[in-house]
Amino acid sequence: SAPSLSGGEAQRIRLASQLGSNLRGVCYILDEPTIGLHVRDTRMLLKTLERLERKGNTIVVVEHDEDTIRHAEHVIDLGPGAGVHGGRVVAQGTFDEIVANPQSVTGRFLATPPTHFRNGSADRSMHDGELEVTGARLHNLRRIRAKLPLGRLVCVTGVSGSGKSTLVRDIVHDNLKQLIERRRNGRKRRADAGLVGCDEIRGSEALGRVLEVDQTPIGKTPRSCPATYVGFWDNIRRLFAETTEARMRGYGPGRFSFNVHGGRCSACEGQGMKKIEMSFLPDVRVPCDVCQGARFAEETLAVRYRDKSIAEVLAMSVDEASVFFKAHGGIHRSLELLREVGLGYLTLGQQSPTLSGGEAQRIKLVTELSKARPVESPNGRNRRGRNAPTLYLLDEPTIGLHMADVEKLVDVLHRLVRAGNSVIVIEHNLDVIAEADWVIDMGPEGGNGGGRIVARGTPLEVARSKTASHTARALRSYLRRRKQRPGRSHSRKRQ
């Protein structure tokens, strides 16, 4: 049924219908068509687009994938940064012209790929244990046995439909949540009781919780924003409450919240916008005519901290706020983490519904990273309780990310691992796969042709694998290509 298709499968079906239509003179616009596609599938997609072009059509693609950029006859590179730092055409021309342009960030990444961390978490002990799933048989899985090292960055790879999501999300995530919850409530039952899609999962005792970090919105209302989600907004409100003006007026931290009555604008209830319902048309949002989008009442805005009102602080970008709050450790640390994952252009009060999936996911990772504290290794034992390690699960976290952002994402994942946690990523991006500590490749094909583990080991071991692994072949070619070109050092991040 159609709802069971992945985004990549549905998009390719639509392309197949266009191929059979024999239309000419059509301009096809595709937004990230390689999402959810293995390198093997991406190359098949590119052949499809070439066939459409040969029929006399024009293909315009928004894309970050290197193979797609290489195949393009004309590339337009926007930037140089994101948000307020972007919006200009930095370079345009053939692939070689983009690579040769010193102003293009994309060109620099294509010309000088990053030097690999070479298993960046490998300085940690290899004896953090493992999660072992036996008899996994849900959907197309063929009663497989999967060993997932803990305290590592693990990549699960494979072509579309090979069983990656079934193993990681339907079996590992859902069953671990049940096992950990049962242990937390003190229920003693057989380890395999109530498990879905597998016979047994061993090693869950080493984990305190399991968390899927996906690209769903961090909030559905305009009152939700990065500052409130990450959690440093409470500290900022306290700073305003401690000013002389606030104490004279008797204002507490609650006065500077746009989520509760008191200090917020009563006309828009702290949203800064008003919704106008239109007959037969979508609703329209316009700035509040009372507070002009400031969200707060006039009396609240009269209180100033270092000559800034609470609304002016909300309007600051993360980059600006990081400098402004440099003397306040807790606030500054969260802001620096947001900068390090490439979100320095966001404003503190940017409404959550306006964030992309990739931005929302990185904000969630920053929230976790801001809580992360080194935990004792199993050799120095205390894996249980509130400080026990977390298993983070991510499904295609590179969706919508430029190569520069992928580099930052990989560093964040390694930092979570160095704090004593475990990370399992379903991914097709070769930059991420090459940086993993361990790779499990599913396949060899999709559907009935998949459901088995065809290769496992470090990225280098998988690349050398002689099995029928499409990932092994792609990784082998990728590592060979990277070896031929000088790379950039990650030393600034690996201290």
Side-chain angles (χ1 to χ4, degrees), residues 82-118:
V84 295
H85 306 301
R88 291 188 283 117
V89 174
V90 177
Q92 57 183 316
T94 64
F95 176 86
D96 290 336
E97 287 171 336
I98 297 295
V99 169
N101 191 318
Q103 305 302 316
S104 170
V105 175
T106 303
R108 287 203 300 274
F109 271 79
L110 291 169
T112 56
T115 304
H116 298 308
F117 293 139
R118 304 196 181 279

Short mmCIF file of all heavy atoms in Angstrom, two decimals, residues 82-118:
data_model
loop_
_atom_site.label_atom_id
_atom_site.label_comp_id
_atom_site.label_asym_id
_atom_site.label_seq_id
_atom_site.Cartn_x
_atom_site.Cartn_y
_atom_site.Cartn_z
N ALA A 82 24.42 30.35 6.16
CA ALA A 82 23.00 30.03 6.24
C ALA A 82 22.25 31.19 6.87
O ALA A 82 22.83 32.05 7.51
CB ALA A 82 22.79 28.77 7.07
N GLY A 83 20.92 31.20 6.68
CA GLY A 83 20.11 32.24 7.30
C GLY A 83 20.52 33.63 6.85
O GLY A 83 20.66 33.90 5.66
N VAL A 84 20.72 34.53 7.82
CA VAL A 84 21.09 35.92 7.49
C VAL A 84 22.47 36.00 6.84
O VAL A 84 22.81 37.02 6.23
CB VAL A 84 21.07 36.81 8.76
CG1 VAL A 84 19.66 36.93 9.31
CG2 VAL A 84 22.01 36.27 9.83
N HIS A 85 23.26 34.94 6.96
CA HIS A 85 24.61 34.94 6.37
C HIS A 85 24.61 34.44 4.92
O HIS A 85 25.66 34.32 4.30
CB HIS A 85 25.56 34.08 7.20
CG HIS A 85 25.60 34.46 8.65
ND1 HIS A 85 25.95 35.71 9.07
CD2 HIS A 85 25.31 33.75 9.77
CE1 HIS A 85 25.89 35.78 10.39
NE2 HIS A 85 25.49 34.60 10.84
N GLY A 86 23.44 34.08 4.42
CA GLY A 86 23.37 33.54 3.06
C GLY A 86 22.52 34.39 2.15
O GLY A 86 22.46 35.60 2.28
N GLY A 87 21.86 33.72 1.18
CA GLY A 87 20.95 34.43 0.29
C GLY A 87 21.59 35.02 -0.94
O GLY A 87 20.96 35.79 -1.67
N ARG A 88 22.86 34.68 -1.21
CA ARG A 88 23.54 35.20 -2.41
C ARG A 88 24.03 34.05 -3.28
O ARG A 88 24.30 32.96 -2.77
CB ARG A 88 24.72 36.08 -2.00
CG ARG A 88 24.30 37.39 -1.34
CD ARG A 88 25.47 38.33 -1.11
NE ARG A 88 26.29 37.95 0.02
CZ ARG A 88 27.57 37.60 -0.05
NH1 ARG A 88 28.17 37.57 -1.23
NH2 ARG A 88 28.25 37.29 1.01
N VAL A 89 24.15 34.31 -4.55
CA VAL A 89 24.78 33.33 -5.45
C VAL A 89 26.29 33.51 -5.32
O VAL A 89 26.85 34.51 -5.73
CB VAL A 89 24.33 33.53 -6.91
CG1 VAL A 89 25.11 32.58 -7.83
CG2 VAL A 89 22.84 33.28 -7.05
N VAL A 90 26.94 32.52 -4.73
CA VAL A 90 28.38 32.58 -4.48
C VAL A 90 29.16 32.16 -5.72
O VAL A 90 30.20 32.74 -6.04
CB VAL A 90 28.76 31.68 -3.29
CG1 VAL A 90 30.26 31.67 -3.05
CG2 VAL A 90 28.04 32.15 -2.02
N ALA A 91 28.66 31.13 -6.38
CA ALA A 91 29.36 30.62 -7.57
C ALA A 91 28.36 29.91 -8.46
O ALA A 91 27.35 29.38 -7.99
CB ALA A 91 30.47 29.66 -7.15
N GLN A 92 28.66 29.88 -9.74
CA GLN A 92 27.84 29.08 -10.66
C GLN A 92 28.67 28.71 -11.88
O GLN A 92 29.62 29.41 -12.24
CB GLN A 92 26.57 29.82 -11.06
CG GLN A 92 26.73 31.18 -11.70
CD GLN A 92 25.38 31.82 -11.97
OE1 GLN A 92 24.47 31.16 -12.47
NE2 GLN A 92 25.23 33.09 -11.64
N GLY A 93 28.31 27.57 -12.44
CA GLY A 93 29.07 27.08 -13.60
C GLY A 93 29.14 25.57 -13.58
O GLY A 93 28.32 24.90 -12.95
N THR A 94 30.15 25.01 -14.24
CA THR A 94 30.33 23.57 -14.25
C THR A 94 30.88 23.11 -12.90
O THR A 94 31.28 23.93 -12.06
CB THR A 94 31.33 23.16 -15.35
OG1 THR A 94 32.62 23.73 -15.02
CG2 THR A 94 30.88 23.65 -16.71
N PHE A 95 30.92 21.81 -12.70
CA PHE A 95 31.45 21.24 -11.46
C PHE A 95 32.88 21.72 -11.22
O PHE A 95 33.22 22.16 -10.11
CB PHE A 95 31.42 19.71 -11.55
CG PHE A 95 32.03 19.02 -10.36
CD1 PHE A 95 31.29 18.76 -9.22
CD2 PHE A 95 33.37 18.63 -10.37
CE1 PHE A 95 31.85 18.13 -8.11
CE2 PHE A 95 33.95 18.00 -9.28
CZ PHE A 95 33.18 17.75 -8.15
N ASP A 96 33.71 21.68 -12.26
CA ASP A 96 35.12 22.09 -12.12
C ASP A 96 35.23 23.57 -11.77
O ASP A 96 36.11 23.96 -11.00
CB ASP A 96 35.88 21.81 -13.42
CG ASP A 96 36.08 20.31 -13.64
OD1 ASP A 96 36.06 19.56 -12.64
OD2 ASP A 96 36.24 19.89 -14.79
N GLU A 97 34.34 24.39 -12.31
CA GLU A 97 34.37 25.83 -12.01
C GLU A 97 33.97 26.10 -10.56
O GLU A 97 34.52 26.99 -9.91
CB GLU A 97 33.44 26.59 -12.97
CG GLU A 97 34.00 26.68 -14.39
CD GLU A 97 32.99 27.22 -15.39
OE1 GLU A 97 31.77 27.12 -15.14
OE2 GLU A 97 33.43 27.75 -16.44
N ILE A 98 33.02 25.32 -10.04
CA ILE A 98 32.62 25.48 -8.63
C ILE A 98 33.77 25.08 -7.72
O ILE A 98 34.08 25.77 -6.74
CB ILE A 98 31.38 24.60 -8.33
CG1 ILE A 98 30.17 25.06 -9.15
CG2 ILE A 98 31.05 24.63 -6.83
CD1 ILE A 98 29.67 26.44 -8.82
N VAL A 99 34.43 23.97 -8.04
CA VAL A 99 35.56 23.49 -7.23
C VAL A 99 36.70 24.51 -7.23
O VAL A 99 37.37 24.70 -6.21
CB VAL A 99 36.05 22.12 -7.76
CG1 VAL A 99 37.38 21.72 -7.11
CG2 VAL A 99 35.00 21.05 -7.49
N ALA A 100 36.90 25.18 -8.35
CA ALA A 100 38.02 26.13 -8.47
C ALA A 100 37.71 27.49 -7.84
O ALA A 100 38.62 28.30 -7.68
CB ALA A 100 38.37 26.31 -9.95
N ASN A 101 36.44 27.72 -7.48
CA ASN A 101 36.06 29.04 -6.94
C ASN A 101 36.37 29.11 -5.44
O ASN A 101 35.78 28.39 -4.64
CB ASN A 101 34.56 29.27 -7.17
CG ASN A 101 34.15 30.71 -6.89
OD1 ASN A 101 34.59 31.31 -5.91
ND2 ASN A 101 33.32 31.26 -7.75
N PRO A 102 37.29 29.97 -5.01
CA PRO A 102 37.69 30.02 -3.60
C PRO A 102 36.58 30.56 -2.68
O PRO A 102 36.64 30.37 -1.47
CB PRO A 102 38.89 30.98 -3.60
CG PRO A 102 38.71 31.83 -4.82
CD PRO A 102 38.02 30.96 -5.82
N GLN A 103 35.55 31.21 -3.24
CA GLN A 103 34.46 31.76 -2.44
C GLN A 103 33.40 30.71 -2.08
O GLN A 103 32.57 30.94 -1.22
CB GLN A 103 33.77 32.91 -3.20
CG GLN A 103 34.69 34.03 -3.64
CD GLN A 103 35.43 34.65 -2.47
OE1 GLN A 103 34.82 34.92 -1.43
NE2 GLN A 103 36.73 34.88 -2.62
N SER A 104 33.45 29.57 -2.76
CA SER A 104 32.40 28.56 -2.59
C SER A 104 32.77 27.55 -1.50
O SER A 104 33.76 26.82 -1.62
CB SER A 104 32.17 27.82 -3.92
OG SER A 104 31.35 26.70 -3.72
N VAL A 105 31.94 27.50 -0.45
CA VAL A 105 32.13 26.49 0.62
C VAL A 105 31.93 25.10 0.03
O VAL A 105 32.69 24.16 0.32
CB VAL A 105 31.15 26.74 1.78
CG1 VAL A 105 31.27 25.63 2.83
CG2 VAL A 105 31.41 28.09 2.42
N THR A 106 30.92 24.95 -0.83
CA THR A 106 30.67 23.66 -1.48
C THR A 106 31.89 23.23 -2.29
O THR A 106 32.31 22.06 -2.24
CB THR A 106 29.44 23.76 -2.41
OG1 THR A 106 28.32 24.20 -1.65
CG2 THR A 106 29.13 22.42 -3.05
N GLY A 107 32.46 24.17 -3.04
CA GLY A 107 33.65 23.86 -3.84
C GLY A 107 34.81 23.40 -2.99
O GLY A 107 35.53 22.46 -3.36
N ARG A 108 35.00 24.05 -1.83
CA ARG A 108 36.11 23.66 -0.95
C ARG A 108 35.92 22.25 -0.42
O ARG A 108 36.87 21.47 -0.33
CB ARG A 108 36.23 24.64 0.22
CG ARG A 108 36.79 25.99 -0.17
CD ARG A 108 37.40 26.72 1.01
NE ARG A 108 36.46 26.97 2.09
CZ ARG A 108 35.65 28.02 2.14
NH1 ARG A 108 35.64 28.90 1.14
NH2 ARG A 108 34.84 28.20 3.16
N PHE A 109 34.69 21.90 -0.06
CA PHE A 109 34.44 20.55 0.46
C PHE A 109 34.59 19.50 -0.62
O PHE A 109 35.01 18.37 -0.35
CB PHE A 109 33.04 20.48 1.08
CG PHE A 109 33.03 20.84 2.54
CD1 PHE A 109 33.07 22.16 2.94
CD2 PHE A 109 33.00 19.85 3.51
CE1 PHE A 109 33.08 22.50 4.27
CE2 PHE A 109 33.01 20.18 4.85
CZ PHE A 109 33.04 21.51 5.25
N LEU A 110 34.23 19.85 -1.86
CA LEU A 110 34.39 18.89 -2.96
C LEU A 110 35.86 18.72 -3.33
O LEU A 110 36.30 17.63 -3.72
CB LEU A 110 33.60 19.36 -4.17
CG LEU A 110 32.07 19.33 -4.03
CD1 LEU A 110 31.41 20.06 -5.19
CD2 LEU A 110 31.57 17.89 -3.95
N ALA A 111 36.64 19.81 -3.24
CA ALA A 111 38.05 19.77 -3.63
C ALA A 111 38.93 19.17 -2.55
O ALA A 111 39.86 18.41 -2.85
CB ALA A 111 38.53 21.18 -3.96
N THR A 112 38.65 19.51 -1.28
CA THR A 112 39.49 19.02 -0.17
C THR A 112 38.61 18.40 0.90
O THR A 112 38.21 19.07 1.85
CB THR A 112 40.31 20.17 0.45
OG1 THR A 112 39.40 21.21 0.86
CG2 THR A 112 41.30 20.73 -0.53
N PRO A 113 38.27 17.13 0.74
CA PRO A 113 37.41 16.46 1.71
C PRO A 113 38.07 16.39 3.08
O PRO A 113 39.29 16.46 3.19
CB PRO A 113 37.25 15.04 1.12
CG PRO A 113 38.44 14.86 0.25
CD PRO A 113 38.76 16.22 -0.30
N PRO A 114 37.28 16.22 4.15
CA PRO A 114 37.85 16.19 5.49
C PRO A 114 38.74 14.98 5.71
O PRO A 114 38.51 13.91 5.17
CB PRO A 114 36.63 16.13 6.40
CG PRO A 114 35.55 15.59 5.55
CD PRO A 114 35.82 16.07 4.17
N THR A 115 39.80 15.16 6.50
CA THR A 115 40.62 14.03 6.93
C THR A 115 39.80 13.23 7.92
O THR A 115 39.21 13.78 8.83
CB THR A 115 41.89 14.53 7.65
OG1 THR A 115 42.58 15.40 6.76
CG2 THR A 115 42.78 13.39 8.03
N HIS A 116 39.73 11.93 7.73
CA HIS A 116 38.87 11.12 8.58
C HIS A 116 39.37 11.09 10.02
O HIS A 116 40.55 11.13 10.30
CB HIS A 116 38.80 9.68 8.05
CG HIS A 116 38.20 9.62 6.69
ND1 HIS A 116 37.01 10.20 6.38
CD2 HIS A 116 38.67 9.07 5.55
CE1 HIS A 116 36.74 10.00 5.10
NE2 HIS A 116 37.73 9.33 4.58
N PHE A 117 38.41 10.97 10.93
CA PHE A 117 38.75 10.80 12.33
C PHE A 117 39.44 9.45 12.53
O PHE A 117 40.11 9.21 13.50
CB PHE A 117 37.49 10.82 13.20
CG PHE A 117 36.81 12.16 13.22
CD1 PHE A 117 35.43 12.23 13.16
CD2 PHE A 117 37.53 13.31 13.32
CE1 PHE A 117 34.79 13.45 13.19
CE2 PHE A 117 36.89 14.54 13.36
CZ PHE A 117 35.52 14.60 13.28
N ARG A 118 39.20 8.56 11.60
CA ARG A 118 39.70 7.18 11.69
C ARG A 118 39.26 6.57 13.02
O ARG A 118 40.05 6.30 13.91
CB ARG A 118 41.22 7.12 11.56
CG ARG A 118 41.66 7.77 10.24
CD ARG A 118 43.08 7.39 9.88
NE ARG A 118 43.48 8.05 8.66
CZ ARG A 118 43.17 7.63 7.45
NH1 ARG A 118 42.41 6.57 7.30
NH2 ARG A 118 43.58 8.28 6.38
#
